[in-house]
Amino acid sequence: MTTVDLNCDMGESYGIWTLGADEDLLKIVSSANLACGFHAGDPSTLRSVTHSAVSHGVAVGAQVSFPDLAGFGRRPMQIDPGELRDLVLYQIAALDGFMRVLGSRVSYVKPHGALYHVTVSDPAAAAAVVAAAAEFDSTLAILGFPDSQLLRAAQAAGLRPVTEAFADRTYLADGQLQPRSAPGSVLTDSSQILERTLRLVETGEILAIDGSVIYQRAESICVHSDTPDAARIARVLRDGLEAAGISLTSFTSGSPIG
Amino acid sequence: MTTVDLNCDMGESYGIWTLGADEDLLKIVSSANLACGFHAGDPSTLRSVTHSAVSHGVAVGAQVSFPDLAGFGRRPMQIDPGELRDLVLYQIAALDGFMRVLGSRVSYVKPHGALYHVTVSDPAAAAAVVAAAAEFDSTLAILGFPDSQLLRAAQAAGLRPVTEAFADRTYLADGQLQPRSAPGSVLTDSSQILERTLRLVETGEILAIDGSVIYQRAESICVHSDTPDAARIARVLRDGLEAAGISLTSFTSGSPIG
Amino acid sequence: MTTVDLNCDMGESYGIWTLGADEDLLKIVSSANLACGFHAGDPSTLRSVTHSAVSHGVAVGAQVSFPDLAGFGRRPMQIDPGELRDLVLYQIAALDGFMRVLGSRVSYVKPHGALYHVTVSDPAAAAAVVAAAAEFDSTLAILGFPDSQLLRAAQAAGLRPVTEAFADRTYLADGQLQPRSAPGSVLTDSSQILERTLRLVETGEILAIDGSVIYQRAESICVHSDTPDAARIARVLRDGLEAAGISLTSFTSGSPIG
Amino acid sequence: MTTVDLNCDMGESYGIWTLGADEDLLKIVSSANLACGFHAGDPSTLRSVTHSAVSHGVAVGAQVSFPDLAGFGRRPMQIDPGELRDLVLYQIAALDGFMRVLGSRVSYVKPHGALYHVTVSDPAAAAAVVAAAAEFDSTLAILGFPDSQLLRAAQAAGLRPVTEAFADRTYLADGQLQPRSAPGSVLTDSSQILERTLRLVETGEILAIDGSVIYQRAESICVHSDTPDAARIARVLRDGLEAAGISLTSFTSGSPIG
């Protein structure tokens, strides 16, 4: 049976400020990338989101970030790799504490925002993130962009690299995402998102904006959580995948697609 | 053979700012109370201090604090017990990550600054701190003031309560510390500090400022780290204790005095 | 002609997180209490909210707070009065910078959250807040609760004290607010809120929850901004006041009611 | 009579952590670049350092920074120019509040750390910093590196650009500083520092590391404050300059050298 993972950013509230429909999304997705307090996610948010994730059988990943609450981790920072490794270890360990008291564990690491983008192309930053994950728990998977320095570093360190594709983003012919700033680069039509996702899961094909076809094996599909409509779109996606005989399973527990 | 523990606050540097003679003190004391990032202690400081502590065979405790970097955790805050528990769990877990990668673990919890004082008398805050420790690791000891709500909460939760006495502070007749603001309340004469400590360890007696004698069984002696002379005083204390046949052993590994 | 002021908390977004319907409310109220960055309100939020406030002719006050982003300034902190004065001066000055570049000025100070409550009863904290305001600009008004230490300190310092009443909160017979935790203590029925406000403005009477009548002269009416319905309720209030011949005027520009 | 300005970073303590010999240096230098709270400098530090600076007749500049306390503003961040302008305005205004209550004002702006380096070469960041200064007070001077984008932006905006040279740093033949990481790039021999400074002030010449001579007109000489020996070196420099008939005057009050 074909399976795929749906991953989604969560735990991004902070104090009085709420963000994202975590409770709704946890009923739908199979993996939750949880903020660890550096770009969002105060300890009480971590407590409640980890509790819900575990209740719903959703795998939990540490969504590690640059230390930048005001910029939501979206502003690139130049941080010495040694310090970056320490920052990442701190975040993984803190989140893991909330999982541990629930009898569970963090099962993967995915960089957030600017750190995600930096670790696509910067080998030193990628190695720093992976080193922190590897030293904390060598069974952690690393979730990232295909062909990224991050996934190469994971491979080199003996951690399992897991590739993701974006259900609701347009792609360039070279396999890169079209920048968010480009009009139409974020898809909002749920049937179009479902159609693209089905094609990707079943054939490995993504239609690029120039009409060419990219081949990509993604074990996980990322859905955004920060649009008003996120939970509805995720539900359409899950229902459509299941109707096509594809079941959702966390990549940490199931077999990869293919 | 009589043993006692010497504990000391450490890891209280932050970014460019350094505080305390951690490297010197780690050669002397048996337990290090490490800041966890909320009142001091950035991740790279935690990395280096945990490394040194483990190298020197010093037991590591989580010195958990209110979230107040600007106030060094010394300003009392009224925090809902549920949130306080989450803040404490976050700190213990983050520090424990740095110990874990060294093949070791946090072995006790001691509240810092204002949280230390609040948990002496406030049962709800004391229970919150202990609950976080208990859920994270039920073998954690709780280090605190004799007869405090904190140690009562530890007892009630089935965690090991460990009492400490202050080598370099004066006491009131009722067993409380004389407030720091009182002239002379912080002792700086190393031979006086040694003499008081020897008497305490050997007989359980502390001479109060009114000349009366308090009886107290302390498994650990706290020495301050934030005075220029801290490492020298700690060295005099250790040498003097050893000369008297009292060896230093962490309360988490050795037998209590007595 | 009778006039009254409507004041409302604003500028309480932070980074990616938004809070409150500032743009809608700025078309309705006459005074905006703006967060200054310590409990909410990053610099870019201050820029945009001050711009809108000035455009709409709304008076701007500094809503100064304890330094506690994670707790939204709602957690009491014990801060030395000298340091508190410095914290308050920093906040007033920072906000005033954004007003100054628009050719305007901060015209009053109102403590936020826990600092509001602390300065009702604590003379030292109240004096610290007022001292910062007075040294920065002796024409600043101080907006606060009737009979509070804050307004007494303002009077003593030669600053203009301005009393406020709460349109959407229930009162105890002694003139204090019923705690928020009590069921029904926050009113949400806009016609009831209007009715109570009209009675207050026209007669100085507030009906307490035990049926007794409190007399209070309030120059300003506080409406909450953090409920989903806040802008609609504020609109009903303004329209109802105007229909009754009462015009809205900032207390810093108009004459007090009476 | 020839005059020159000596500028120095100060106000870089934070909470319990102290940095720099501010009190000693304020008796020596003519301009103090004060941290504004984003990389260092809590409000109470600002209060006390502005007070001392004004007492000693030292001109005060806003040493504006990226928001990065843990990194001391030394880690480059990519911040949208609009947001950067808002961050800079916030800092200038906050510091100016402490000057204003002393009957004085901030008289110049100098970016700190990573922002200093970024605004040497990035026109958009440079323009953002200058725009904030210009809108706050068009009489503010901008202190920076010769030929930097920062000083060009100042010129374009009608603000006075002021060039500085570094007394204790080695230069490359192209007029750039040798990177700090290069051995010997930070000079510590006070007579060598004095000799280089005298030559610079009297002839505009700086000896580069390859033996070539750079010509540079600097209105201000920057001396570092973060070395243990900073105050002693600054004293040697001042005494030596005065012995050579060169008096120290803030560039905001005196005539430029020449």
Side-chain angles (χ1 to χ4, degrees):
Chain A
M1 186 187 186
T2 303
T3 66
V4 75
D5 175 72
L6 278 194
N7 82 75
C8 190
D9 295 352
M10 294 187 204
E12 298 188 328
S13 294
Y14 190 79
I16 199 174
W17 298 285
T18 56
L19 190 72
D22 291 4
E23 284 304 310
D24 292 336
L25 284 160
L26 284 168
K27 293 171 189 152
I28 303 170
V29 302
S30 42
S31 293
N33 320 313
L34 299 196
C36 304
F38 277 40
H39 74 282
D42 60 280
S44 295
T45 294
L46 295 196
R47 170 82 73 177
S48 88
V49 185
T50 50
H51 185 271
S52 289
V54 169
S55 305
H56 290 292
V58 174
V60 164
Q63 192 179 23
V64 296
S65 171
F66 288 127
D68 180 17
L69 207 59
F72 196 61
R74 290 187 172 161
R75 307 189 287 205
M77 296 179 73
Q78 278 178 37
I79 297 189
D80 167 82
E83 287 183 32
L84 180 56
R85 176 177 173 165
D86 300 339
L87 293 174
V88 170
L89 175 57
Y90 187 95
Q91 293 176 74
I92 298 172
L95 175 62
D96 194 63
F98 289 89
M99 292 299 286
R100 200 175 285 266
V101 305
L102 296 165
S104 186
R105 299 294 306 270
V106 167
S107 54
Y108 65 96
V109 170
K110 176 183 174 178
H112 167 78
L115 187 57
Y116 186 88
H117 294 290
V118 166
T119 56
V120 164
S121 56
D122 179 339
V129 170
V130 167
E135 69 184 337
F136 186 70
D137 176 357
S138 61
T139 70
L140 286 170
I142 303 291
L143 178 59
F145 203 72
D147 287 326
S148 59
Q149 292 294 340
L150 182 74
L151 295 193
R152 277 178 217 157
Q155 192 93 48
L159 296 198
R160 178 174 165 212
V162 177
T163 57
E164 67 173 345
F166 290 82
D168 48 11
R169 292 289 298 277
T170 53
Y171 280 73
L172 303 175
D174 66 355
Q176 300 303 305
L177 295 176
Q178 193 181 18
R180 254 176 194 276
S181 48
S185 65
V186 179
L187 305 176
T188 56
D189 175 344
S190 56
S191 40
Q192 188 189 8
I193 294 171
L194 171 59
E195 184 190 13
R196 289 171 65 87
T197 303
L198 283 172
R199 183 171 177 184
L200 173 68
V201 175
E202 288 167 345
T203 69
E205 294 177 358
I206 299 172
L207 189 66
I209 53 169
D210 69 350
S212 65
V213 170
I214 306 158
Y215 287 88
Q216 202 170 87
R217 289 281 163 199
E219 293 182 57
S220 184
I221 307 294
C222 182
V223 291
H224 285 99
S225 60
D226 56 356
T227 54
D229 220 22
R232 197 188 56 75
I233 291 175
R235 170 52 67 190
V236 169
L237 204 53
R238 175 171 180 151
D239 290 349
L241 285 163
E242 291 181 345
I246 301 159
S247 72
L248 293 201
T249 314
S250 158
F251 55 83
T252 63
S253 56
S255 313
I257 59 169
Chain B
M1 186 187 186
T2 302
T3 67
V4 75
D5 175 74
L6 278 193
N7 82 76
C8 190
D9 294 351
M10 293 188 203
E12 299 189 326
S13 295
Y14 190 80
I16 200 173
W17 298 285
T18 54
L19 189 73
D22 292 4
E23 283 306 309
D24 292 336
L25 284 161
L26 283 169
K27 294 172 189 149
I28 303 169
V29 301
S30 42
S31 294
N33 320 313
L34 298 196
C36 303
F38 277 40
H39 75 282
D42 60 280
S44 295
T45 294
L46 295 197
R47 170 83 72 178
S48 87
V49 185
T50 50
H51 185 271
S52 289
V54 169
S55 306
H56 290 291
V58 173
V60 164
Q63 194 180 22
V64 297
S65 171
F66 287 127
D68 180 17
L69 207 58
F72 198 61
R74 289 185 172 165
R75 306 188 288 205
M77 296 178 73
Q78 279 177 36
I79 297 189
D80 167 82
E83 288 183 32
L84 180 57
R85 175 176 173 166
D86 300 338
L87 294 174
V88 170
L89 174 57
Y90 187 96
Q91 293 176 75
I92 298 171
L95 175 61
D96 192 63
F98 289 89
M99 291 301 285
R100 198 175 288 264
V101 305
L102 296 164
S104 188
R105 299 295 306 270
V106 167
S107 54
Y108 65 95
V109 170
K110 175 182 174 179
H112 166 78
L115 187 56
Y116 187 88
H117 293 290
V118 165
T119 56
V120 164
S121 57
D122 179 339
V129 170
V130 167
E135 67 184 338
F136 185 71
D137 177 356
S138 61
T139 70
L140 287 168
I142 303 291
L143 178 58
F145 203 74
D147 287 326
S148 60
Q149 292 295 340
L150 182 74
L151 294 191
R152 276 177 218 158
Q155 191 94 48
L159 296 197
R160 178 177 164 210
V162 177
T163 58
E164 67 175 346
F166 291 82
D168 48 12
R169 292 289 299 278
T170 52
Y171 280 72
L172 303 176
D174 65 358
Q176 300 303 305
L177 295 176
Q178 192 181 20
R180 254 177 194 276
S181 49
S185 64
V186 178
L187 305 175
T188 56
D189 174 344
S190 56
S191 40
Q192 186 188 11
I193 294 171
L194 172 59
E195 183 190 13
R196 289 171 65 86
T197 304
L198 283 171
R199 181 169 179 186
L200 173 67
V201 175
E202 289 167 344
T203 68
E205 295 177 356
I206 299 173
L207 190 66
I209 52 169
D210 68 350
S212 65
V213 170
I214 306 159
Y215 287 88
Q216 200 169 88
R217 287 283 164 197
E219 293 182 56
S220 184
I221 306 294
C222 182
V223 290
H224 285 98
S225 61
D226 55 356
T227 54
D229 219 22
R232 197 189 57 75
I233 291 175
R235 170 54 67 191
V236 168
L237 203 53
R238 176 172 178 149
D239 290 349
L241 285 163
E242 290 180 345
I246 300 159
S247 72
L248 292 201
T249 314
S250 158
F251 55 82
T252 64
S253 57
S255 313
I257 58 171
Chain C
M1 186 187 185
T2 302
T3 66
V4 76
D5 175 72
L6 278 194
N7 81 75
C8 190
D9 294 352
M10 292 188 206
E12 298 188 327
S13 295
Y14 189 79
I16 199 174
W17 297 285
T18 54
L19 189 73
D22 292 4
E23 284 305 309
D24 292 336
L25 284 161
L26 284 168
K27 294 172 189 150
I28 302 170
V29 302
S30 42
S31 293
N33 320 313
L34 298 195
C36 303
F38 277 40
H39 74 282
D42 59 280
S44 295
T45 294
L46 294 197
R47 172 81 73 175
S48 88
V49 184
T50 50
H51 185 271
S52 288
V54 170
S55 305
H56 290 291
V58 173
V60 164
Q63 193 181 22
V64 297
S65 172
F66 287 127
D68 181 17
L69 207 58
F72 197 61
R74 289 184 173 164
R75 305 189 288 204
M77 297 178 73
Q78 279 178 36
I79 297 189
D80 166 83
E83 288 183 33
L84 180 57
R85 176 177 173 165
D86 299 338
L87 293 174
V88 170
L89 175 57
Y90 187 94
Q91 293 177 75
I92 298 172
L95 175 62
D96 194 63
F98 289 89
M99 291 300 285
R100 199 175 286 265
V101 304
L102 296 164
S104 187
R105 300 295 307 270
V106 167
S107 54
Y108 65 96
V109 170
K110 175 182 172 178
H112 166 78
L115 187 55
Y116 188 88
H117 293 290
V118 166
T119 56
V120 164
S121 56
D122 178 340
V129 170
V130 166
E135 69 184 336
F136 185 72
D137 176 357
S138 62
T139 70
L140 286 169
I142 303 292
L143 178 58
F145 203 73
D147 287 326
S148 59
Q149 292 295 339
L150 182 74
L151 295 192
R152 276 178 217 156
Q155 191 94 47
L159 296 198
R160 178 177 163 209
V162 176
T163 58
E164 66 174 346
F166 291 81
D168 48 11
R169 292 289 298 278
T170 53
Y171 280 73
L172 303 174
D174 65 357
Q176 300 303 305
L177 294 177
Q178 193 182 20
R180 254 177 194 275
S181 49
S185 66
V186 178
L187 305 176
T188 56
D189 174 344
S190 56
S191 39
Q192 186 190 10
I193 295 172
L194 172 58
E195 184 190 13
R196 288 172 64 88
T197 304
L198 283 172
R199 182 171 177 184
L200 172 68
V201 176
E202 288 168 344
T203 68
E205 295 176 358
I206 299 173
L207 189 65
I209 52 168
D210 68 349
S212 65
V213 170
I214 306 157
Y215 287 88
Q216 202 170 87
R217 289 282 164 199
E219 293 182 57
S220 184
I221 307 293
C222 183
V223 290
H224 285 98
S225 60
D226 54 357
T227 54
D229 220 21
R232 196 188 58 75
I233 291 175
R235 170 53 66 190
V236 168
L237 203 54
R238 176 171 178 151
D239 290 349
L241 286 162
E242 291 181 344
I246 299 159
S247 71
L248 292 201
T249 313
S250 157
F251 56 81
T252 63
S253 56
S255 313
I257 58 169
Chain D
M1 188 187 186
T2 301
T3 66
V4 75
D5 175 73
L6 277 192
N7 82 75
C8 191
D9 294 351
M10 293 187 203
E12 298 188 326
S13 295
Y14 189 79
I16 200 173
W17 297 286
T18 55
L19 188 73
D22 292 4
E23 284 305 309
D24 292 336
L25 285 161
L26 283 168
K27 293 173 188 148
I28 303 169
V29 302
S30 42
S31 293
N33 320 313
L34 298 196
C36 303
F38 277 40
H39 74 282
D42 60 279
S44 295
T45 294
L46 295 197
R47 170 82 71 178
S48 89
V49 185
T50 51
H51 185 271
S52 288
V54 169
S55 306
H56 291 291
V58 174
V60 164
Q63 193 180 22
V64 296
S65 171
F66 287 127
D68 180 19
L69 206 59
F72 198 60
R74 289 185 172 165
R75 307 189 287 206
M77 296 178 73
Q78 280 177 36
I79 297 189
D80 166 82
E83 287 183 33
L84 180 56
R85 175 176 174 167
D86 299 339
L87 293 174
V88 171
L89 175 57
Y90 187 96
Q91 292 175 74
I92 299 171
L95 175 61
D96 193 63
F98 289 89
M99 291 300 286
R100 200 176 285 266
V101 305
L102 296 164
S104 187
R105 300 294 306 269
V106 167
S107 54
Y108 65 96
V109 170
K110 175 182 175 179
H112 167 78
L115 187 57
Y116 187 88
H117 294 290
V118 166
T119 56
V120 165
S121 57
D122 179 340
V129 170
V130 167
E135 67 184 338
F136 185 71
D137 177 356
S138 61
T139 70
L140 287 169
I142 304 291
L143 178 59
F145 203 72
D147 288 326
S148 59
Q149 292 295 340
L150 183 74
L151 295 192
R152 278 178 217 156
Q155 192 92 49
L159 296 198
R160 179 177 165 209
V162 177
T163 58
E164 66 174 347
F166 292 81
D168 47 13
R169 291 289 298 278
T170 53
Y171 280 73
L172 303 174
D174 65 357
Q176 300 303 305
L177 295 176
Q178 193 182 19
R180 252 177 196 274
S181 49
S185 64
V186 179
L187 305 175
T188 55
D189 174 344
S190 57
S191 38
Q192 186 189 11
I193 294 171
L194 172 60
E195 183 191 10
R196 289 172 64 88
T197 303
L198 283 171
R199 183 170 176 184
L200 173 68
V201 175
E202 288 167 344
T203 69
E205 293 176 357
I206 299 172
L207 190 65
I209 53 169
D210 68 351
S212 66
V213 170
I214 306 158
Y215 287 88
Q216 200 171 90
R217 289 282 164 200
E219 294 182 56
S220 184
I221 307 293
C222 182
V223 290
H224 285 99
S225 59
D226 54 358
T227 53
D229 220 22
R232 198 190 54 77
I233 292 175
R235 170 53 67 192
V236 168
L237 202 53
R238 176 173 178 148
D239 289 349
L241 285 163
E242 290 181 346
I246 300 159
S247 73
L248 292 201
T249 315
S250 158
F251 54 83
T252 63
S253 57
S255 312
I257 60 170

